């Protein structure tokens, strides 16, 4: 028996009843990286591959109780934030993180589901900008999320590079901006930027629609940071992991939406 405590990663996000995104995708990703996964459920969704049909936010005292239970017992090396639907939820989570000061905080600014369902109240956008981004060691928006955070369109690669730098100026230590929504048939280019500069990474564009890619990327970054990998390398490796999981994706529901193959993409698989 190993006498040392296994490192843990905590996801604070929404539960996806369909199993393809949110808490469920995060825990699969942690397991694939051999990191113990913890969860604090910030929202319950009735969801499948065709859309979100209902959302229920738990009482705030219960959310805080989940957070305290996790921090009181486990060696939490990284925290991943996903769907935080209201300003009140964001406030509770931000207070807990300021109290507990985990070594790594990965913010996936979830605003809209793959199906188009809105997952963030309008009043929460300001709270996300002001309370969460300054705590983030990295923020991982896609282009529609970056447009909402910055209040402007990002129509091309040049605008994407400017947007990455402007997102960094909002307070996060680093930004990993995902370029999959840019039009065109070329490679998907993602940008990592921190105080040392900008790095591009690219993957072949796959002719598929998938569910849970953003959740998986952010949780893979958190898992790799929990294992001691530096942030830049963790982001680039997580992007590779998502691409591999997409290539092995499968269709469990009645739609054409893929769910990722987490364990086929696992390091060393």
């Amino acid at each position: 028996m190993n006498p040392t405590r296994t490192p843990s990663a905590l996801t604070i996000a929404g539960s996806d009843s369909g199993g393809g995104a949110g808490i469920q995708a995060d825990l699969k990703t942690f397991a694939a990286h051999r990191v113990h996964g913890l969860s604090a459920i910030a929202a319950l969704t009735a969801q499948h591959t065709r859309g979100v049909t209902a959302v229920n936010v738990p009482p705030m005292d219960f959310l805080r109780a989940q957070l305290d239970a996790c921090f009181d017992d486990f060696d939490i090396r990284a925290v991943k934030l996903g769907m935080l639907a209201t300003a009140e939820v964001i406030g509770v989570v931000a207070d807990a993180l300021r109290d507990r000061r985990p070594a790594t905080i990965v913010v996936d600014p979830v605003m809209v589901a793959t199906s188009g369902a809105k997952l963030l109240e309008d009043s929460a956008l300001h709270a996300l900008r002001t309370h969460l981004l300054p705590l983030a060691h990295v923020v991982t928006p896609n282009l529609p999320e970056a447009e909402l955070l910055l209040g402007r369109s990002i129509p091309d690669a040049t605008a994407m590079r400017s947007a990455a730098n402007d997102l960094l100026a909002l307070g996060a230590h680093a930004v990993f901006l995902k370029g999959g929504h840019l039009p065109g048939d070329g490679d998907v280019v993602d940008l990592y930027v921190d105080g040392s500069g900008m790095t591009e990474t690219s993957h072949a564009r796959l002719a598929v629609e998938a569910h849970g890619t953003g959740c998986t990327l952010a949780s893979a970054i958190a898992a790799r940071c929990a294992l001691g990998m530096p942030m830049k390398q963790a982001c680039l490796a997580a992007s590779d992991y998502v691409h591999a999981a997409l290539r092995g994706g499968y269709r469990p529901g009645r739609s054409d939406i893929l769910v990722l193959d987490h364990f086929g993409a696992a390091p060393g698989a």
Side-chain angles (χ1 to χ4, degrees), residues 98-124:
R98 282 190 288 263
D99 290 345
R100 301 292 187 158
R101 299 184 179 277
T104 300
I105 300 171
V106 180
V107 176
D108 179 19
V110 176
M111 299 178 187
V112 180
T114 301
S115 62
K118 190 174 180 181
L119 300 177
L120 185 77
E121 290 185 355
D122 292 338
S123 62

Side-chain angles (χ1 to χ4, degrees), residues 142-260:
N142 59 30
L143 290 182
E145 291 161 349
E147 289 176 337
L148 286 171
L149 287 170
L150 294 173
R152 68 173 191 261
S153 64
I154 305 173
D156 54 37
T158 300
M160 183 178 168
R161 294 176 70 87
S162 296
N165 284 312
D166 290 344
L167 287 166
L168 188 67
L170 292 179
H173 294 201
V175 174
F176 192 73
L177 181 56
K178 300 170 289 190
H181 287 83
L182 277 185
D185 298 325
D187 289 352
V188 174
V189 176
D190 302 323
L191 300 178
Y192 175 85
V193 60
D194 61 16
S196 299
M198 184 177 294
T199 300
E200 293 187 2
T201 184
S202 63
H203 296 90
R205 187 178 295 272
L206 302 175
V208 297
E209 289 187 75
H211 185 49
T213 53
C215 308
T216 298
L217 176 79
S219 53
I221 294 170
R224 288 173 182 270
C225 288
L227 293 171
M229 187 176 284
M231 180 60 73
K232 179 179 175 179
Q233 286 82 357
C235 288
L236 300 180
S239 184
D240 291 341
Y241 173 81
V242 171
H243 185 71
L246 265 173
R247 285 193 284 107
Y250 58 95
R251 294 180 174 87
R254 291 190 173 92
S255 76
D256 290 331
I257 300 296
L258 290 182
V259 169
L260 304 189

Side-chain angles (χ1 to χ4, degrees), residues 21-75:
I23 292 280
Q24 286 78 358
D26 297 338
L27 293 177
K28 291 174 188 176
T29 303
F30 294 159
H33 286 81
R34 300 188 67 81
V35 170
H36 182 65
L38 311 172
S39 62
I41 297 176
L44 296 163
T45 71
Q47 185 175 174
H48 45 50
T49 61
R50 292 171 289 164
V52 178
T53 60
V55 176
N56 184 32
V57 176
M60 293 303 97
D61 57 349
F62 181 70
L63 174 58
R64 183 61 195 244
Q66 292 179 80
L67 296 171
D68 288 340
C70 290
F71 279 106
D72 285 345
D73 193 41
F74 297 93
D75 179 16

